[in-house]
Amino acid sequence: MENIDYARVFGEIADLLEIQGANPFRIRAYRNGARTIETLSQPIESLLADEEARLEDLPGIGKDLAGKIRELHETGELNFLNELRREVPASLVQIMHIPGLGPKRARQLWDGLEITSVEELEEAAKAGALEELPGFGPTLQERILKGIVELKARAGRFKLADADIYVHPLLEYLRKAGGLADLEVAGSYRRRCETVGDIDILATSSGESPLMDHFVAYRDVQEVLAKGPTKSSLRLKGGLQVDLRLVPRESYGAAMAYFTGSKAHNIVIRGIGRERGLKINEYGVFEGERLVCGRTEEEVYAAIDLPWVPPELREDRGEFDAARAGRLPESLRLDDIRGDLQMHTTYSDGRQSAAEMVEACRERGYEYMAITDHSPSLAMTGIKAEDFERQYAEIDELQEKHDDIRILKSCEVDILEDGSLDLGDDILALMDFVVIAVHSKFNMSRADMTRRITGAMRHPKVNALAHPTGRLINRREPYPVDVEELVKVACDQGLMLELNAQPDRLDLRDFHLQMAREAGVKIVISTDAHRAAELDYMRYGVDQARRGWLERADVGNTYALEEFLKLLEK
DNA sequence: GCCGTTTTCGGCCCGACTGTTTTCAGTCG
């Protein structure tokens, strides 16, 4: 079982307990446990195998949860969960995913109308049967019907880059409202999470502002979900929900901290405040009734003797210890990046020529780049074996013309089913930089896939492993692979692991990056651009790297050309 | 259910908005 499987079990237990009306703190304990496991930088399985390691040392995992983890590990199931499922229909959990319905109303639907599934709920709502229940009016019934339609239509959360498409024009529009002092996005968007559930925008005004009226009059509004003087919510036509809050100027920092989250980070902040007799909320830091500070985030952190924490690190994944010790990572910046090491041209499935890609990289001020067309085994897509000579001659010509950028001869070499490479040593010998990746046969066992990839990694010519888990956000799960083992082999072989910056890949994930950093494995952030404009995906890679605690020295393509080339020596 | 340099018991973040009802419970973040 993967960490995520353990986390899902605890999440389901929490949901079912919630419907039962169990002690809220007991429910939270399961959610905390799920979160700890999900974001662990190593597999639970390896902890279980380690004599030294104690599950109980993990935050939020006590004797009970540790016991349940062991039971799951040993038997593949959990008695407690099976019992719960006998008591509460598991399909009720789906009902809670409909906006407006929580555990209490789910329970009401079950008790009052024997509704246990979304389908039954839809039927009952269409028949107007929900109004029989106390607290269920016609508005709520309508909302539920709409929610069901949306639940079916909307597959998961918005990718960060997709959200960006909506956020920039909206901000531009909101700035025209007049009377505004500040306007910024908070929430998971500001933390640069790979996906966002909604957009939280924060504003302050210097006096009367027509902001809320202006907001709900936006051209792309599909539905106004709520409108008040300090908080309004709407859904945009693309389906993205946007919350806007107006706070007093003196509370801006406190509100920014509060609405940036994460929730887990905020709970710790408030806890530290409470220890010092301070109440910290979205309006400021208070001593009794007296406002101590709150104008800036720095003030809020300073009130509890911490340095300002970059939003990308606010996940309660060690940032508090690091902050106290003065060891917060120095966040990577986009302009630290000196080269892009995965991109495609018309030789394979790219849309633009090598000359155009070189020009685009020069425009971005890069010192070096690698042209990495797919290898021949990708039928219809890969570069033809006989074309290597021609492409590399073309690169030589381009190199002649430009002395301000080094063009590395390369290839994204396919890892075949048996772990061998798609190209022979004669062609590999022509390359300055060799990237390998899996593109087919995803349905192998975890052990076989890990063996396949690590086998390829051991080839002496290989420099980097691209998109190591193969996942596509919201579309495809990662293929089963032991990332910890990949990190280990990368370390042994002096290989770099790629952080693929395509917005639907972002592969490796943030906690994998932390794992690699701790092992001393260098990461290379590459856009995998298939056209020049996609070179700008680099910013999403840098965002993800920041979430993974990477500093400049951890990232291969922040090194100057000569140092970078030295990293390739084995 | 977890946690602990005030505690092994008694805490555990808390305010805004909605729909419903008539003073507030439920949901959400």
Side-chain angles (χ1 to χ4, degrees), chain A residues 29 33 55-70:
Chain A
L55 288 176
E56 287 86 345
D57 291 340
L58 297 171
I61 307 291
K63 220 174 128 205
D64 188 281
L65 292 194
K68 290 190 165 74
I69 291 171
R70 293 198 188 94

Side-chain angles (χ1 to χ4, degrees), chain A residues 214-255:
Chain A
H214 187 68
F215 179 51
V216 298
Y218 186 52
R219 61 184 152 86
D220 286 339
V221 173
Q222 183 184 62
E223 187 186 2
V224 176
L225 303 167
K227 180 168 181 281
T230 65
K231 179 190 170 182
S232 299
S233 298
L234 49 80
R235 189 177 308 285
L236 297 176
K237 281 177 185 154
L240 183 63
Q241 183 176 326
V242 185
D243 296 346
L244 174 62
R245 297 165 208 259
L246 186 62
V247 300
R249 288 200 74 177
E250 61 271 20
S251 303
Y252 184 61

Side-chain angles (χ1 to χ4, degrees), chain A residues 31-327:
Chain A
R31 296 212 192 281
N32 287 341
R35 209 186 126 266
T36 292
I37 296 165
E38 196 176 350
T39 59
L40 215 55
S41 64
Q42 60 175 319
I44 276 279
E45 308 274 19
S46 71
L47 269 180
L48 285 162
D50 185 351
E51 299 281 335
E52 301 290 332
R54 293 185 67 247
L55 288 176
E56 287 86 345
D57 291 340
L58 297 171
I61 307 291
K63 220 174 128 205
D64 188 281
L65 292 194
K68 290 190 165 74
I69 291 171
R70 293 198 188 94
E71 188 187 337
L72 275 166
H73 175 60
E74 283 156 22
T75 69
E77 50 182 321
L78 192 58
N79 262 326
F80 180 56
L81 177 59
N82 293 340
E83 266 175 48
L84 272 178
R85 281 175 177 162
R86 276 194 288 274
E87 291 163 20
V88 183
S91 52
L92 265 181
V93 169
Q94 289 304 317
I95 285 178
M96 292 203 294
H97 294 160
I98 297 164
L101 294 184
K104 301 282 164 58
R105 284 173 181 155
R107 176 85 205 211
Q108 256 185 303
L109 289 164
W110 179 34
D111 283 347
L113 298 170
E114 293 178 357
I115 288 170
T116 60
S117 71
V118 175
E119 288 68 31
E120 290 167 20
L121 176 63
E122 184 170 27
E123 214 170 295
K126 276 181 181 159
L130 302 189
E131 288 184 60
E132 291 173 35
L133 297 172
F136 281 75
T139 315
L140 184 56
Q141 187 164 260
E142 275 308 301
R143 193 177 168 203
I144 288 169
L145 275 174
K146 249 191 241 168
I148 291 173
V149 173
E150 275 162 16
L151 185 72
K152 288 176 176 169
R154 202 172 49 237
R157 294 158 58 91
F158 279 73
K159 286 175 289 197
L160 188 55
D162 292 345
D164 264 330
I165 293 167
Y166 300 102
V167 169
H168 294 302
L170 176 59
L171 287 180
E172 199 175 313
Y173 168 83
L174 288 176
R175 287 205 178 89
K176 291 181 194 147
L180 292 184
D182 306 279
L183 186 75
E184 293 274 357
V185 184
S188 49
Y189 180 89
R190 183 169 179 239
R191 300 201 313 280
R192 309 309 284 162
C193 295
E194 55 194 36
T195 62
V196 299
D198 64 10
I199 299 293
D200 297 296
I201 304 177
L202 208 57
T204 68
S205 68
S206 40
E208 285 293 297
S209 170
L211 180 63
M212 291 302 174
D213 291 329
H214 187 68
F215 179 51
V216 298
Y218 186 52
R219 61 184 152 86
D220 286 339
V221 173
Q222 183 184 62
E223 187 186 2
V224 176
L225 303 167
K227 180 168 181 281
T230 65
K231 179 190 170 182
S232 299
S233 298
L234 49 80
R235 189 177 308 285
L236 297 176
K237 281 177 185 154
L240 183 63
Q241 183 176 326
V242 185
D243 296 346
L244 174 62
R245 297 165 208 259
L246 186 62
V247 300
R249 288 200 74 177
E250 61 271 20
S251 303
Y252 184 61
M256 203 62 193
Y258 182 87
F259 291 117
T260 296
S262 64
K263 202 172 186 177
H265 181 89
N266 285 351
I267 288 173
V268 176
I269 294 276
R270 282 165 186 264
I272 299 174
R274 208 173 36 245
E275 283 167 15
R276 294 161 192 240
L278 299 172
K279 188 178 76 172
I280 302 173
N281 60 26
E282 60 265 55
Y283 297 110
V285 179
F286 295 88
E287 203 163 1
E289 294 298 302
R290 189 176 66 88
L291 175 69
V292 181
C293 62
R295 177 72 189 87
T296 67
E297 280 194 335
E298 284 81 356
E299 287 177 9
V300 175
Y301 282 99
I304 51 172
D305 292 324
L306 288 179
W308 180 82
V309 176
E312 294 89 344
L313 303 183
R314 299 183 194 174
E315 300 290 347
D316 190 20
R317 280 211 305 250
E319 70 272 23
F320 290 102
D321 285 341
R324 279 190 211 101
R327 277 203 291 269

Side-chain angles (χ1 to χ4, degrees), chain A residues 45 332 361 418 450 511:
Chain A
E45 308 274 19
L332 188 70
C361 285
D418 63 357
T450 305
F511 50 86

Side-chain angles (χ1 to χ4, degrees), chain A residues 13-22 27 31 96 103-104 107:
Chain A
I13 290 174
D15 287 342
L16 293 172
L17 284 175
E18 207 163 24
I19 294 170
Q20 283 194 329
I27 295 163
R31 296 212 192 281
M96 292 203 294
K104 301 282 164 58
R107 176 85 205 211

Side-chain angles (χ1 to χ4, degrees), chain A residues 341-344 347-348 369-378 382-385 388 391-392 395 408-415 421-424 427-428 430-437 439 461-466 498:
Chain A
L341 295 159
Q342 201 200 149
M343 67 190 73
H344 299 257
Y347 276 93
S348 63
M369 60 186 287
I371 292 185
T372 57
D373 281 301
H374 287 291
S375 63
S377 78
L378 268 71
I383 185 171
K384 307 279 173 292
F388 273 104
Q391 182 178 59
Y392 288 172
I395 289 175
L408 299 174
K409 291 172 188 160
S410 183
C411 180
E412 184 183 5
V413 185
D414 201 36
I415 300 173
L421 298 182
D422 182 31
L423 290 173
I427 299 183
L428 293 175
L430 304 173
M431 299 181 194
D432 303 305
F433 181 68
V434 175
V435 188
I436 57 171
H439 294 99
K461 271 297 286 182
V462 172
N463 299 115
L465 172 66
E498 181 187 84

